[in-house]
Amino acid sequence: MTSAVIYGTLKVPAKPSVASTRSLQWTPDGQLIVLGETTIYLLTPEIGINLDYNAANKAHETTNIPWATTAIPLQATGFQWPELSSEWTTICLGSVDFSWSAVTFSPTNYSPIGSCVLATLSSNLEVHLWAPKEDPYRGEWVQVQNVTRDLRTKIRETEGLPSEQQVLRAQIQTLAWSRQPPERRGTDASILAMGNRAGEILFFCMKDGRVSLVESIQVSTSWITHLAWANWQEGDQAVAAVLACGMSQGRIALVEVRQTRGPSTIAVRILECSPYVDDYRGITALEWIETEDGLPILVHCKPGLVSVWRDNAGSGWSGLYIFQLRLIQTSKSSTKFAPASGIVYLPQQNSLVISLIDGSYNVVHLDESGPMLSDDDDTSPCNSNDMSKASRAVFLVAEEKETPKPKDGSEPSKLYRNHVARTTGSLAVDSGGVLIWLHQRLFPETFDFIPDSQVRCLLMVAPLISSMEYDYYALQEIQQGLSRDCNFFYQAPISILRGAFVNLKRRLFLERNVDAILSVLQPDTNTKVNSVKIVQPKGQEDMDKWRGIALDAAASTLSGDSLLCKEKLKFNLAYFCKSQLPKDKRFHDLSSKLQGNIEVIRLGLIVDLILQLPSHIIEDSPSVHRIAQRAKAILPTLHDKVEQLLGMIEDTTSSETCPACNQDIVFGDPLLAKCEFGHYWGRCSVTFGILATPNVKNCIGCGRKTLEYFRKEKEKTLSTDWIECFMLQATEGCPCCGNKCIKII
């Protein structure tokens, strides 16, 4: 009887796409993108979040990890490329068997509700943008732009090209969205790159919810088939990133993209380096790997080969290393020439894991002396043979459990060595060796035809390392998650703590290591507030410009203060452990202490921020009075600043009015308001105002409520309190735990 350790499984009712390293992708919002032929699934592990699911949006749970799901179905297109040109070079057969080909995501906070935006590529070489209407985790995603149509219009209007060249420029083969540059908050900072059939790379930036072409560069005369962004690197006057471009004949070009600060301008140039061997083999995968030392490594796969390249960094290894992939016999159909379906870097192992479509894994260790392929003599916890065997064991156990029993009472079909775990995507869950992958059970020798409507895949979450090391790597994952520099404007806590949550979901692990976990999550005793610097406006004509500068300063501080972010991450973990071990009062007490720490640090930052605003804004703001009263109660160390703030308010005895009976309500409880007639009202966790409106958002982590701020100017603003609107805009996510807030009504 085969045994295996499995953390979670999920049946995915969709035919998988072609094997690709982008078939599975984690977004900064904590969602998993699963690319199918006719459906793109957006799955969110329900670990560390608090959502009220119903049968319509709750995925089928078979093991330890439940999932919330939403999807983007494939929509038929009426456009045909031969309508524009009938030349042989423009032929596209994608409309014959229409399907999804690729998907990429923007940084978070790019949609009107503060989530990611998706860019999809269909087999008909058309690109569309998608954004959620209200709830990105379980709500509907709608198409917001037909990018290809806009691109065709721009090419036709601005350039006098023949119809064949116009079509080749508009036919997109691949796309990739860069990360958000450091210290930049605008939606025009990240760049969407697209490679076309004319050998060009097109660069798009977003403005007002739509992307537009801002730059292009000719790289080759052949098709651009792969694009991969490295992280942005900061400079004195600009930030720069390198875009790797794979071409149809197997060549790779590196393009430097430089973006200036202030008024954003983009400059691109081709770098003079060759991170490949010109052997005319087609590229099956191309990815940048960011190691712990911050030096990017370019990894690309060709049939039977994996190549690792790093620029000359002055220390350590550099140059191009090429390895022949090993044949690891997981089934009779195994082959080392299979396409790569995943390129995963595990920081704790300092190793690169390449998964192939046949279900086998090859490991490359990134030693200081240079990369080294794992062989039969490798006894490290992360090696090719053991990971492939563990993956095969997981496949056998999961398929045997999930195989439905025939209704006639006969025995279900058995699994044989010839059965193939067709793995179309693989991704890391944590930094130690827990992976997630999508496989389909196949028996190639029978040549059975399975209709697309009956195809079922399994999404697996399991560790592929030695079972003796589980607890050690899990504890390391928790500690590293809390020690990393983070900013909740760029990445949500459920994304940062994904690996920690998956490991803490194992109740036995939590019970074995409860003392060590409590020690790691202890509140910081130093709650000293870092001062916020905001330059005062010079005149009334500069108020609009100053407001944007002040908003950026406030938002950067409230979402990126290192101490505040670290305490919020601890609170997320303690809050989750409390739900896992409800009888252990230590986690209840720890959650309360961390919550108090967070409020002290946050209110200290807000008081310091408000004191730097013009006095005429503060004088008649009811929200300032509430914030000052709350700060006075919990911030004895900032007594002088709080008294200074109260002295600037005209009416220090102002009270609120009950929306039901118009009776006065004296501010006291920061979460609840009560009038003398017994009417209860919730309070906004950002401004402490009464929530007497349906325009309220709920935190998906701790459940706190905030007033909804309308980002669109055409929509009516609910409040005339300038500082209240300012604070709602400056606060990204929940003020207590940092997670996203969504509208549920």
Side-chain angles (χ1 to χ4, degrees), residues 595-608:
Q595 183 180 339
N597 250 20
I598 292 167
E599 189 174 15
V600 167
I601 299 169
R602 178 177 166 271
L603 277 179
L605 291 170
I606 291 175
V607 169
D608 193 54

Side-chain angles (χ1 to χ4, degrees), residues 259-514:
Q259 191 174 180
T260 60
R261 300 182 185 275
S264 180
T265 59
I266 296 174
V268 296
R269 67 184 181 97
I270 300 176
L271 299 178
E272 295 181 359
C273 53
S274 300
Y276 68 97
V277 171
D278 198 358
D279 54 7
Y280 289 93
R281 297 191 187 191
I283 298 171
T284 60
L286 179 68
E287 297 290 344
W288 284 100
I289 300 300
E290 303 292 338
T291 57
E292 293 295 307
D293 58 9
L295 299 175
I297 298 174
L298 182 63
V299 182
H300 72 272
C301 296
K302 295 181 177 182
L305 299 175
V306 57
S307 301
V308 182
W309 176 86
R310 187 168 75 176
D311 195 9
N312 188 1
S315 62
W317 65 272
S318 62
L320 179 65
Y321 288 74
I322 303 176
F323 303 99
Q324 288 192 359
L325 295 173
R326 296 176 54 219
L327 172 61
I328 302 177
Q329 201 79 33
T330 57
S331 68
K332 284 190 175 181
S333 300
S334 294
T335 171
K336 65 179 181 180
F337 298 104
S341 59
I343 296 177
V344 176
Y345 175 66
L346 301 177
Q348 289 193 54
Q349 313 291 346
N350 195 25
S351 298
L352 195 65
V353 180
I354 295 94
S355 65
L356 302 182
I357 194 174
D358 65 351
S360 64
Y361 290 81
N362 278 258
V363 176
V364 177
H365 299 296
L366 303 178
D367 297 335
E368 292 184 0
S369 58
M372 181 175 60
L373 185 69
S374 173
D375 55 21
D376 290 334
D377 297 329
D378 188 358
T379 58
S380 65
C382 179
N383 65 77
S384 302
N385 291 337
D386 290 348
M387 294 189 79
S388 299
K389 291 177 182 178
S391 173
R392 183 66 180 181
V394 169
F395 166 72
L396 295 174
V397 171
E399 288 294 337
E400 184 176 2
K401 181 179 179 181
E402 297 296 335
T403 301
K405 294 183 179 180
K407 295 182 180 179
D408 58 4
S410 60
E411 290 293 324
S413 58
K414 295 183 179 180
L415 284 169
Y416 299 98
R417 180 173 176 78
N418 295 20
H419 275 100
V420 178
R422 182 176 181 267
T423 305
T424 55
S426 182
L427 206 59
V429 174
D430 68 359
S431 62
V434 179
L435 269 62
I436 183 169
W437 67 91
L438 186 72
H439 74 238
Q440 179 187 0
R441 171 180 171 178
L442 293 178
F443 197 47
E445 295 181 2
T446 62
F447 295 98
D448 289 340
F449 171 74
I450 303 176
D452 289 355
S453 60
Q454 297 180 14
V455 174
R456 296 292 183 271
C457 299
L458 275 181
L459 189 69
M460 308 299 306
V461 181
L464 298 184
I465 55 173
S466 171
S467 58
M468 302 298 293
E469 309 289 342
Y470 290 165
D471 284 12
Y472 171 77
Y473 290 128
L475 288 172
Q476 288 293 312
E477 175 68 22
I478 295 171
Q479 293 174 357
Q480 291 180 9
L482 296 175
S483 62
R484 298 189 190 103
D485 292 333
C486 62
N487 188 318
F488 295 158
F489 178 80
Y490 303 114
Q491 191 176 15
I494 60 171
S495 176
I496 299 171
L497 299 174
R498 179 191 309 114
F501 281 137
V502 169
N503 286 289
L504 289 173
K505 182 69 174 175
R506 296 185 290 136
R507 190 184 180 99
L508 292 178
F509 161 75
L510 182 56
E511 291 175 345
R512 284 195 303 267
N513 300 277
V514 62

